[in-house]
């Protein structure tokens, strides 16, 4: 990897040295900017030297002063006005009059394989500028999108280096890849964790099938288009962005202390049948050990990015370097990431332009144990971290040696796992304009990536339940080799009242994966660098490798037509072939779409009205596909199973079990969607409103269901086109942007998404698919997916009270005093599986965000609020009881301790009977509202920074997730998971707030 970075650095230096940068003597230019209509001064107008990021802004009286080259061009920008350019030409005074405009309508929006004016877009496209992403101190660019686009839900994982999960307009896929498609400068990816947020110029989110269908094969779960920063003509501009801060756990769950724990355990033992003598003779044990305080910490995080950009009339360049160092909130956990990005564009001659961009990323993390948060939740507070003699506190010393009571400090100390990742990605392109209206573009891109997880367990003994007698080294390595070639031909012509754009394209892709999993016992430990499989026991060594190869071929076309800027038509079709379906009769799929728009405000009958400055109605329909299924899903597979033995001729042979059954024909999973939108502008577009209704249905969704053993399988599954999934909803976006004569600029934007999810036309009829058992007490399943209901609903018993006496419980076999009282749904006098009911929905109905920006003179303030509503969470942390796990303080304070004490909380004997079975007690509201980001910045006056040979210097304070309001009794209601088991909290990374100090410097 060092060799890669060296080559990039040499190439960057060569490009910088060979670019002819014109330098000129600076002069001071002064002037005044006024409104072209009422001639009033315009405070807060942005003034930049063209081709650079150097600039200033007007004061409360519209006056400005700037140091600029004598041959420079000044660019004047202000919200609601048409941008103006003025050549300096050695002038020292330049006054400017700005004309009011419908700026937002002329805004250029990135769409599939091109750009369009926002007024011309007929689909539903969300847009977020790079400056709004880089302003947040998020280490992943996807996280910075949270709350900014209607209908887009983002679930943050929290683990350093992990990628957030993005869901667009509800869950429509159950099996395989449920994530969105990311397209970065024309190259396709499953995630963009390799990107530095500061390198992003723009993100467009394609939300409806019409805008997505041009990416047919992979667009079923949405498409996110990312455009990275490019160089601009002008002098070399050097930018540095840096932050330093810390992350702190918020909303920490309070657990019972040692005295409370001992009291509750003794109560639980007394309620066993037959009762067991108290475990603790003395319950007056004080506070004991707070394991969260022992293992968690305030974590330092630093982030630095340095970029150099500029260019001439013939070439531009952009070079950036990034470094992130993030400690996890678990001690010893750390993540480091290095990024380097270089892009060059060359205008060889007027019709021909070529360019390339390359990004290299290297990261290394010292991992935390995967189950550490569950261990902290369950750990007994009566166990000390260390004994007086320095040995580890042992749960067995307190007769607590069950599987859940470990010493978390010992778990952390003897855990040794590191993850290393390398990725090099990019593309090269050539664009040729010919015959006036034609443009041909060809590009080749791809990525090479490698990820290695190296884990080592040495020989140790912390206690009788925490020890290892044979050291073991595990190595998991995955390599990716992906490439994509795309060729497009565009015809673009405007004449009279007409505009026409025709796009023809062809794509070829290949994705190759190779993985190897190896382990060996008795590997001696000397240092991390000396851990090799060859040092271990050869007889115990195990190596397993696997590979996957998928190829795609695609052809697509799109036509955009506009008449008089009033009537808009957009139609596209894509034909894709995917090797995943090789052997089936459905190797190819067709994905058409059509959209139409009517700009009503441009009609003659609207000329004299004073209400709307813009009024546009649009509608679209389209189909997209999902090729993100496992390799060869139409191939039946078997596994050799040692538990199955066949005897032939007196000789036993290992039997085989069918692992996956498939039907004779497996169809493409397609998503068909309709979108109707209304866009409105008022008061010269200071107020803009967008409203959308959508109806999206995934047709013939592919997923697997369990099958009976008499079909020749042990734990086998049947994969097929099992059902349709419908997501239907509304989206609203309203933005107010204005300024005052006193120099105060502000914008306020709010969005709301409403979604209803439903599974339809299930092939198994009303037979439900049960899931949600991972991590739960053995034998329990907590979710159900069934016809005409949402995916993965919580399913279990309805609590109607608590049995107060044994006499009251006597009528119900298996129950006793202090146990939950469940509703007998079928009135048969017995509580069994037939009495389970729907308990909640993990699919949020409402998502919303409020984003604001304020600027006054040299101060700026950003405040973002985000939340979800009408969603449920299953608190499996509380229900997973296998013995003497700790209790939350909330449960201890409200538990049943005798007749009349509680009719909502059971006794301390939660592990007894059906008390820890899935029930309404464990299902809680997951609604939350969060102060997602608040940032206060100050830019030093231009006169001061110029003296320091700078163009701009801005300092800021930032707080992320500082305020979180929710009723959920766990760490965070932001719980993800696979679609049929989403929202189950078994080991969620605690929510944390990030506090930063940052500096932006431009030279």
């Amino acid at each position: 990897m060092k060799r890669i970075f060296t080559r990039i650095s040499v190439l960057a230096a060569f490009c910088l040295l060979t670019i002819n940068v014109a330098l000129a003597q600076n002069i001071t230019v002064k002037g005044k900017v006024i409104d072209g209509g009422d001639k009033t001064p315009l405070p807060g107008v942005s003034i930049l030297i063209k081709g650079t990021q150097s600039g200033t802004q007007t004061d409360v009286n519209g006056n400005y002063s700037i140091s600029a080259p004598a041959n420079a061009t000044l660019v004047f920008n202000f919200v609601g006005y048409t941008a103006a350019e003025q050549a300096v030409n050695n002038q020292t005074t330049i006054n400017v009059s700005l004309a009011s405009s419908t700026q937002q309508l002329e805004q250029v929006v990135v769409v599939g394989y091109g750009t369009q004016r926002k007024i011309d877009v007929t689909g539903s496209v969300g847009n977020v500028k790079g400056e709004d992403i880089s302003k947040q101190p998020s280490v992943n660019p996807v996280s910075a999108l949270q709350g900014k686009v209607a209908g887009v839900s983002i679930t943050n994982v929290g683990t350093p280096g992990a990628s957030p999960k993005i869901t667009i307009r509800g869950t429509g896929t159950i099996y395989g890849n449920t994530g969105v498609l990311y397209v970065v400068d024309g190259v396709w990816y499953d995630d963009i964790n390799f990107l530095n947020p500061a390198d992003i110029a723009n993100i467009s989110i394609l939300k409806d099938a019409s805008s997505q269908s041009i990416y047919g094969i992979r667009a079923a779960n949405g498409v996110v288009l990312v455009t990275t920063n490019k160089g601009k003509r002008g002098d070399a501009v050097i930018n540095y962005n840096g932050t330093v801060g810390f992350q702190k756990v918020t909303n920490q769950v309070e657990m019972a202390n040692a005295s409370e724990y001992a009291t509750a355990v003794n109560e639980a033992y007394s309620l066993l049948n037959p009762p067991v003598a108290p475990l603790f003779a003395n319950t007056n044990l004080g506070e004991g050990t707070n394991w969260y305080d022992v293992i968690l910490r305030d974590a330092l995080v630093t982030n630095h990015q340095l970029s150099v950009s500029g260019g001439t009339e013939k070439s531009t360049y952009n070079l950036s370097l990034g470094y992130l160092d993030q400690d996890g909130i678990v001690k010893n956990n750390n993540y480091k990431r290095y990024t380097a990005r270089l892009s060059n564009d060359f205008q060889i001659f007027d019709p021909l332009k070529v360019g390339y961009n390359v990004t290299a990323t290297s990261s290394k993390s010292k991992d935390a144990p995967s189950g550490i948060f569950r261990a902290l939740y369950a750990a007994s507070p009566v166990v000390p971290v260390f004994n007086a003699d320095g040995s580890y506190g042992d749960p067995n010393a307190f007769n607590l040696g069950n599987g859940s009571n470990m010493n978390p400090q010992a778990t952390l100390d003897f855990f040794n796992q590191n993850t290393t990742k390398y990725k090099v990605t990019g593309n090269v392109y050539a664009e040729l304009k010919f015959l006036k209206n034609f443009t041909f573009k060809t590009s080749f891109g791809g990525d090479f990536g490698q990820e290695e997880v190296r884990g080592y367990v040495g020989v140790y003994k912390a206690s009788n339940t925490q020890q290892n007698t044979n050291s073991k080294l595990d190595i998991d390595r995955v390599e990716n080799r992906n490439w994509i070639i795309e060729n497009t031909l565009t015809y673009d012509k405007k004449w009279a009242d007409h505009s026409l754009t025709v796009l023809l394209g062809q794509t070829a892709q290949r994705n190759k994966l190779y993985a190897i999993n190896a382990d060996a016992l008795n590997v001696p430990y000397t240092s991390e660098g000396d851990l090799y499989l060859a040092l271990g026991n050869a007889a115990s060594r195990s190596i397993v490798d696997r590979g996957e190869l998928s190829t795609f071929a695609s052809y697509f076309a799109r036509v955009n037509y506009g008449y008089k800027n009033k009537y808009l038509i957009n139609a596209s079709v894509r034909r894709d072939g995917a090797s995943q379906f090789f052997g089936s009769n459905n190797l190819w799929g067709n994905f058409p779409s059509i959209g139409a728009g009517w700009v009503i405000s441009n009609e003659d009958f609207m000329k004299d009205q004073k209400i709307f400055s813009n009024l546009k109605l649009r509608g679209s329909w389209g189909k997209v596909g999902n090729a993100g299924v496992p390799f060869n899903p139409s191939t039946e597979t078997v596994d050799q199973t040692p538990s199955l033995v066949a005897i032939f001729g007196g000789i036993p042979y290992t039997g085989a079990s069918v692992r996956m059954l498939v039907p004779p024909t497996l169809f493409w999973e397609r998503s068909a969607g309709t979108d109707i939108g209304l866009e409105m502008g008022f008061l010269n577009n200071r107020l803009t409103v967008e409203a959308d209704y959508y109806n999206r249905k995934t047709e013939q969704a592919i997923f697997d269901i369990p099958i009976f053993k008499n079909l020749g399988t042990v734990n086998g599954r049947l994969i097929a086109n099992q059902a349709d999934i419908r997501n239907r909803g509304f989206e609203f976006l309203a933005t107010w942007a204005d300024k005052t004569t006193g120099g105060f600029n502000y914008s306020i934007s709010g969005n709301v998404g409403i979604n209803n999810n439903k599974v339809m036309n299930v092939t198994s009829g009303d037979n439900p698919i049960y899931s949600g058992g991972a991590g739960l007490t053995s034998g329990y399943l907590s979710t159900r997916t069934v016809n005409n209901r949402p995916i993965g609903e919580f399913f279990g018993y309805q609590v109607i009270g608590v049995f107060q006496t044994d006499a009251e419980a006597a009528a119900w076999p298996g129950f006793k005093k202090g146990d939950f009282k469940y509703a007998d749904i079928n009135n048969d006098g017995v509580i069994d599986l037939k009495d389970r009911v729907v308990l909640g929905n993990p699919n949020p109905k409402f998502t919303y965000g409020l984003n604001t920006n304020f600027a006054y003179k040299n101060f700026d303030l950003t405040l973002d609020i985000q939340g979800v509503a009408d969603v449920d969470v299953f608190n499996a942390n509380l229900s997973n009881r296998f013995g003497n796990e700790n209790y939350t303080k909330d449960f201890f304070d409200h538990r049943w301790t005798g007749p009349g004490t509680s009719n909502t909380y059971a006794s301390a004997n939660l592990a007894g009977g059906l008390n820890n079975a899935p029930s309404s007690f464990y299902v809680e509201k997951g609604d939350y509202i969060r102060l997602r980001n608040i940032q206060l910045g100050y830019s030093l006056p231009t006169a001061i920074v110029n003296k320091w040979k700078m163009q701009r210097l801005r300092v800021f304070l930032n707080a992320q997730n500082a305020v979180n309001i929710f009723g959920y009794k766990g760490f965070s209601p932001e719980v993800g998971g696979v679609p049929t088991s989403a929202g189950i909290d078994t080991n969620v990374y605690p929510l944390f707030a990030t506090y930063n100090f940052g500096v932006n410097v431009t030279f």
Side-chain angles (χ1 to χ4, degrees), residues 768-772 776 779-785 793-799 822-828 830-840 874 914 917-920:
I769 301 167
Y770 296 104
S771 188
L776 298 187
Y780 291 131
L781 297 174
S782 59
T783 72
R784 183 188 73 165
T785 300
E793 283 185 311
F794 299 129
F795 194 68
Y797 300 105
Q798 181 65 49
V799 175
Y822 298 130
D824 183 12
I825 300 301
N826 59 0
N827 295 313
D828 63 354
V830 177
I831 300 299
D832 55 23
L833 296 179
K834 298 176 183 178
D835 296 305
R836 293 176 298 170
V837 296
V838 173
L839 302 176
F874 189 95
L914 288 178
S919 74
S920 58

Side-chain angles (χ1 to χ4, degrees), residues 16-297:
L16 295 176
L17 289 173
T18 57
I19 291 173
N20 180 21
V21 180
L23 299 175
Q25 183 66 39
N26 283 11
I27 63 173
T28 299
V29 181
K30 297 181 179 180
K32 189 170 188 176
V33 183
I34 62 173
D35 186 302
D38 57 20
K39 308 303 180 184
T40 58
L42 293 178
V45 175
S46 171
I47 305 159
L48 289 176
I49 300 172
K50 189 174 182 179
T52 76
Q53 296 185 16
S54 176
T56 185
Q57 62 182 16
T58 57
D59 61 19
V60 293
N61 298 313
N63 297 316
Y64 74 93
S65 175
I66 188 171
S67 177
N71 62 348
T73 298
L74 302 182
V75 181
F76 297 79
N77 276 295
F78 197 53
V79 175
Y81 290 81
T82 302
E85 295 187 5
Q86 291 287 334
V88 175
N89 289 334
N90 291 306
Q91 300 176 84
T92 57
T93 301
I94 299 178
N95 296 317
V96 175
S97 175
L98 293 184
S100 179
S101 73
T102 55
Q103 181 179 353
Q104 294 181 351
L105 306 182
E106 299 295 325
Q107 176 187 348
V108 175
V109 177
V110 178
V111 295
Y113 300 99
T115 60
Q116 285 183 286
R117 296 185 309 164
K118 180 173 174 57
I119 193 65
D120 295 331
V121 175
T122 60
S124 182
V125 180
N127 189 67
V128 180
K129 296 179 180 178
E131 60 192 58
D132 293 328
I133 297 170
S134 60
K135 184 177 288 186
Q136 295 192 35
S138 298
V139 298
N140 187 292
V142 175
S143 181
L145 298 175
Q146 195 167 33
K148 291 190 175 296
V149 181
V152 175
S153 175
I154 295 173
T155 303
N156 289 293
V157 178
T159 306
S163 298
K165 173 66 182 298
I166 179 171
T167 303
I168 300 175
R169 291 184 168 179
T171 300
T173 294
I174 293 178
Y175 190 71
N177 186 358
T178 62
V180 302
L181 168 65
Y182 295 96
V183 182
V184 182
D185 295 329
V187 184
W188 297 22
Y189 303 95
D190 288 330
D191 70 69
I192 53 174
N193 200 33
F194 63 92
L195 275 182
N196 187 331
D199 286 331
I200 294 177
N202 182 81
I203 290 183
S204 288
I205 300 177
L206 311 185
K207 297 191 291 182
D208 73 315
S210 172
S211 60
Q212 297 164 352
S213 66
I214 201 69
Y215 294 103
I217 196 170
R218 278 286 314 278
N221 298 307
V223 181
V224 177
L225 306 180
V226 180
T227 304
T228 58
N229 292 325
K230 295 280 190 179
K232 298 179 181 179
R233 297 173 183 174
D235 296 344
V237 176
I238 302 174
N239 284 295
Y240 167 75
N241 296 307
T243 61
V244 60
F246 66 94
Q247 299 169 329
K248 184 179 182 64
V249 173
T250 64
N251 302 84
Q252 182 168 308
V253 176
E254 186 178 2
M255 306 300 294
N257 63 30
S259 295
E260 294 164 341
Y261 169 81
T263 300
V265 169
N266 283 352
E267 287 178 10
Y269 278 34
S270 70
L271 291 169
L272 296 176
N273 188 15
V276 175
L279 182 61
F280 296 96
N282 175 22
T283 61
N284 188 19
L285 301 177
E287 290 295 321
T289 304
N290 185 323
W291 286 105
Y292 287 115
D293 289 348
V294 171
I295 301 298
L296 303 186
R297 65 179 174 183

Side-chain angles (χ1 to χ4, degrees), residues 521-588:
L521 294 176
N522 300 318
V523 177
Y525 180 81
T526 54
S527 65
E528 182 180 340
D530 294 330
L531 293 175
Y532 299 104
L533 293 169
L535 300 175
N537 188 325
S540 66
R541 200 175 301 147
S542 171
I543 300 177
V544 178
D545 65 347
R546 62 184 176 88
E548 294 181 4
L549 177 66
S550 56
T551 56
F552 309 92
S554 309
Y555 305 91
F556 53 91
R558 181 176 62 206
V559 176
N560 293 319
Y561 172 74
Y563 178 65
K564 288 189 174 181
N565 287 326
K566 300 178 187 178
Y567 313 113
L568 311 167
I569 294 290
N570 178 311
S572 69
V573 63
R574 183 171 180 125
R575 179 169 172 80
D576 285 314
S579 62
Q580 284 100 317
F581 291 88
F582 181 76
S584 73
N585 296 322
N586 294 276
L587 186 62
W588 290 86

Side-chain angles (χ1 to χ4, degrees), residues 50 90 240 245 325 347 366 389-390 450 573 759 782 889 964:
K50 189 174 182 179
N90 291 306
Y240 167 75
D325 187 351
Q347 197 75 45
K366 184 173 178 57
D389 62 0
Q450 177 178 302
V573 63
V759 178
S782 59
K889 185 67 163 59
N964 304 275

Side-chain angles (χ1 to χ4, degrees), residues 563-731:
Y563 178 65
K564 288 189 174 181
N565 287 326
K566 300 178 187 178
Y567 313 113
L568 311 167
I569 294 290
N570 178 311
S572 69
V573 63
R574 183 171 180 125
R575 179 169 172 80
D576 285 314
S579 62
Q580 284 100 317
F581 291 88
F582 181 76
S584 73
N585 296 322
N586 294 276
L587 186 62
W588 290 86
N590 299 314
F591 306 100
S593 75
I594 188 167
W598 178 24
V599 186
I600 306 171
S601 53
N602 285 348
E603 292 286 359
D604 292 339
F605 61 80
M606 294 289 287
K607 287 183 177 179
D608 295 329
Q609 59 85 28
K610 304 296 183 184
I611 300 176
F612 298 100
S613 47
N614 174 51
L615 180 61
K616 173 184 167 185
L617 179 66
R618 52 177 168 79
S620 64
W621 171 90
K623 275 195 173 185
V624 289
N626 182 18
V629 296
F631 184 69
N632 274 350
S634 56
T635 301
E636 223 165 63
T637 57
V638 298
D639 281 337
Q640 284 192 320
T641 306
S643 61
L644 300 177
V645 179
I647 300 176
F648 295 96
I651 301 175
Y653 294 88
T654 301
S657 169
V658 176
R659 176 159 48 97
M660 191 70 71
L661 291 177
V662 297
T665 302
L666 193 67
F667 297 96
W668 279 79
E669 181 177 287
R670 292 175 170 85
S671 179
T674 301
D675 183 277
I676 299 174
L678 184 65
E679 301 176 9
M680 297 170 285
F682 306 91
L683 302 174
N684 197 29
N685 284 324
R686 283 179 289 177
L687 173 63
T688 58
V689 178
E690 291 187 31
D692 280 81
Y693 164 79
Y694 63 88
N695 187 6
R696 177 170 66 98
K697 184 169 74 171
T698 302
E699 301 170 341
Q700 300 177 329
I702 299 172
F703 57 94
D704 58 332
I705 58 175
I707 53 180
F708 298 112
K709 294 182 180 180
N710 59 9
L711 295 178
T713 176
V714 176
N715 298 322
R717 315 287 292 183
L718 170 65
I719 177 175
N721 301 101
Q722 308 277 15
D724 295 341
I725 304 171
R726 190 195 72 191
N727 285 278
R728 178 185 293 172
F730 298 88
E731 294 171 356

Side-chain angles (χ1 to χ4, degrees), residues 66 95 123 149 190 204 238 308 344 348 357 378 383 421 469 564 664 727 737 775 843 859 886 898 942 970:
I66 188 171
N95 296 317
V149 181
D190 288 330
S204 288
I238 302 174
V308 182
N344 274 102
I348 304 301
N357 69 76
V383 178
K421 296 181 182 181
T469 56
K564 288 189 174 181
N727 285 278
N843 304 286
F859 289 93
N886 199 8
T942 304

